[in-house]
């Protein structure tokens, strides 16, 4: 077994050993009964005719119900571990990951970039927001028991919390061309104070949100989607991330990385109620890293209460248009 160094690793291992245990139990049970029956019911004389058997409902019920219960226990346990692994907790350190033939490009939200190496603190939750520049890759850290496909044109999420300091292998686990086997790296788990030192020692790089803000202005996004609602031709983007969005088609969805990318590259696909199909596409004009920067900038646009106003007790109308969305389209924000 590879080393176990994340909070989810013992859970994955326990499920794995349960599967091995169930398998071994039935291998020996079936083989044992087989051998026993071969001996017990062997033909004793050349003229022996076996006694006819009409079947047994009791036996059939037992050998159907018990395997059903075992199969469902594997399903329930597997689903529980799976959901824990795909649903990142709140308050995570976010890391942007871009896979390309044949390297891993990683960036911390504070701006530090790394290639084929990721420094992270022990005992803190780390969320990976991953995309690919070319073909499908797969981000695999055996010691953490995480493996998630990294896809072009989509964002996949994974998270982990390391439990031990040290250096661990990072692999690409999806055949991606000639140097697939060389698409490897290391995960360096440090003590939190050591990590903070490392992070501040590499602080000369621009944070993705800052780079995103510059892109946002240079591309002219701001003329329609002003951060404070100016422009007005497009929905304001303040507080957008993680919020429900109401679409022209009557659908509702939650604004996540994939939604923001879709809205930039194919703006007519998911029109927000109250807004016309006027936004041009930016398909092919942004690299995956620039998209991530814009996304980081949009994420940083959080709702703040202007001084002097009382903080809203519930979601404010501008944040959550709710059922009144059709009646007041100007409140719709994207
Ligand atoms: Cu990237 Cu295999």
């Amino acid at each position: 077994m590879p080393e176990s160094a994340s909070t989810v690793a013992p859970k994955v291992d326990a499920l794995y050993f349960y599967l091995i245990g169930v398998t071994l139990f039935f291998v020996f049970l079936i083989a044992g009964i087989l051998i026993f029956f071969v001996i017990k019911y062997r033909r004793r004389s050349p003229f022996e005719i076996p006694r006819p058997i009409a079947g047994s409902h009791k036996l059939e019920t037992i050998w159907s119900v018990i395997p059903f219960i075992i199969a469902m226990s594997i399903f329930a346990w597997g689903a529980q571990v799976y959901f824990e692994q795909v649903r990142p907790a709140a308050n995570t350190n976010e890391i942007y990951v871009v896979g390309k033939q044949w390297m891993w490009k990683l960036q911390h939200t504070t701006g530090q970039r790394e290639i084929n190496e990721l420094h992270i603190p022990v005992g803190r939750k780390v969320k990976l927001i991953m995309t690919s520049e070319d073909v499908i890759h797969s981000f695999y850290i055996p010691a953490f028991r995480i493996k998630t496909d990294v896809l072009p044109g989509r964002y996949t999420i994974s998270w982990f919390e390391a439990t031990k300091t040290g250096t661990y292998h990072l692999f690409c686990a999806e055949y991606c061309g000639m140097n697939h086997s060389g698409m490897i790296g290391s995960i360096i788990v440090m003590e939190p104070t050591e990590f903070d030192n490392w992070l501040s020692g590499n602080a000369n790089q621009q944070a993705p949100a800052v780079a995103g803000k510059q892109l946002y202005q240079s591309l002219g996004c701001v003329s329609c989607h002003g951060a404070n609602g100016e422009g007005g031709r497009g929905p304001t983007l303040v507080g957008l991330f993680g919020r429900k969005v109401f679409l022209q088609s009557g659908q509702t969805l939650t604004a996540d990385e994939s939604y923001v990318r879709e809205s930039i590259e194919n703006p007519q696909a998911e029109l927000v109620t109250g807004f016309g199909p006027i936004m041009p596409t930016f398909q092919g004009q942004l690299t995956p890293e620039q998209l991530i920067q814009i996304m980081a900038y949009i994420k940083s646009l959080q709702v703040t209460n202007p001084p002097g106003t009382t903080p809203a007790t519930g979601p404010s109308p501008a944040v959550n248009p709710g059922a009144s969305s059709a009646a007041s389209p100007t409140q719709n924000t994207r």
Side-chain angles (χ1 to χ4, degrees):
M1 291 294 287
E3 211 174 338
S4 156
S6 77
T7 50
V8 84
K11 295 172 191 171
V12 173
D13 290 356
L15 177 61
Y16 175 77
F17 285 121
Y18 174 65
L19 284 169
I20 296 282
V22 168
T23 310
L24 284 179
F25 174 78
F26 280 102
V27 164
F28 286 110
L29 181 74
I30 292 168
I33 293 175
L34 194 79
I35 293 164
F36 174 73
F37 283 180
V38 162
I39 295 164
K40 183 165 184 207
Y41 298 108
R42 69 187 183 278
R43 194 175 229 195
R44 281 153 222 263
S45 79
F47 310 107
E48 190 180 341
I49 294 163
R51 185 166 53 89
I53 298 167
S56 160
H57 288 300
K58 197 169 137 195
L59 257 181
E60 282 178 33
T61 309
I62 290 172
W63 76 48
S64 302
V65 169
I66 292 176
F68 175 75
I69 292 169
I70 294 171
M72 291 316 283
S73 74
I74 296 169
F75 167 70
W77 191 348
Q80 190 226 328
V81 174
Y82 174 78
F83 281 123
E84 194 180 323
Q85 212 166 357
V86 295
R87 286 186 183 148
N91 304 321
T92 49
N93 285 15
E94 291 188 352
I95 308 281
Y96 293 104
V97 180
V98 178
K100 66 171 278 191
Q101 288 168 322
W102 289 276
M103 62 165 84
W104 294 107
K105 298 192 279 186
L106 305 116
Q107 191 174 23
H108 297 258
T109 42
T110 41
Q112 289 79 353
R113 287 175 187 280
E114 302 191 62
I115 286 182
N116 293 342
E117 231 183 30
L118 177 62
H119 290 76
I120 46 146
V122 69
R124 286 195 210 152
K125 293 183 172 67
V126 174
K127 178 177 161 187
L128 306 164
I129 300 161
M130 306 190 285
T131 190
S132 166
E133 229 171 86
D134 36 46
V135 299
I136 301 176
H137 305 277
S138 186
F139 194 89
Y140 177 35
I141 310 172
F144 296 171
R145 308 289 188 273
I146 62 156
K147 174 157 68 177
T148 307
D149 276 8
V150 175
L151 310 166
R154 253 165 76 178
Y155 292 88
T156 46
I157 305 287
S158 188
W159 78 276
F160 59 81
E161 182 182 334
T163 51
K164 269 198 280 183
T165 55
T167 303
Y168 304 98
H169 286 295
L170 161 66
F171 293 110
C172 175
E174 182 76 57
Y175 181 68
C176 55
M178 193 174 71
N179 290 334
H180 157 72
S181 63
M183 196 170 161
I184 53 176
S186 1
I187 308 294
I188 297 137
V189 183
M190 310 163 98
E191 288 298 338
T193 46
E194 213 186 319
F195 172 75
D196 291 337
N197 277 340
W198 176 86
L199 205 61
S200 54
N202 286 276
N204 49 359
Q205 282 147 325
Q206 199 177 32
V210 176
K213 185 174 184 179
Q214 288 169 3
L215 265 174
Y216 192 79
Q217 278 154 354
S218 64
L219 288 168
C221 313
V222 69
S223 61
C224 295
H225 298 276
N228 300 310
E230 64 266 40
R233 274 171 292 174
T236 171
L237 304 180
V238 176
L240 170 74
F241 239 91
R243 189 176 75 205
K244 282 216 166 359
V245 178
F246 299 85
L247 302 183
Q248 210 94 294
S249 59
Q251 283 176 300
T252 308
L253 48 78
T254 304
D256 58 6
E257 284 85 4
S258 295
Y259 167 74
V260 171
R261 188 196 64 87
E262 172 90 322
S263 299
I264 293 170
E265 297 202 325
N266 187 11
Q268 317 316 345
E270 286 157 349
L271 279 179
V272 175
T273 33
F275 291 95
I278 55 166
M279 177 170 160
T281 172
F282 287 84
Q283 183 118 43
Q285 295 182 41
L286 295 163
T287 65
E289 272 159 329
Q290 288 176 318
L291 265 175
I292 281 173
Q293 289 165 351
I294 291 191
M295 224 167 272
Y297 171 60
I298 294 174
K299 260 187 214 179
S300 74
L301 298 172
Q302 294 298 327
V303 184
T304 45
N305 289 304
T309 59
T310 45
T313 45
S316 71
V319 176
N320 186 354
S324 65
S325 60
S328 51
T330 49
Q331 288 183 341
N332 271 289
T333 49
R334 186 169 191 173

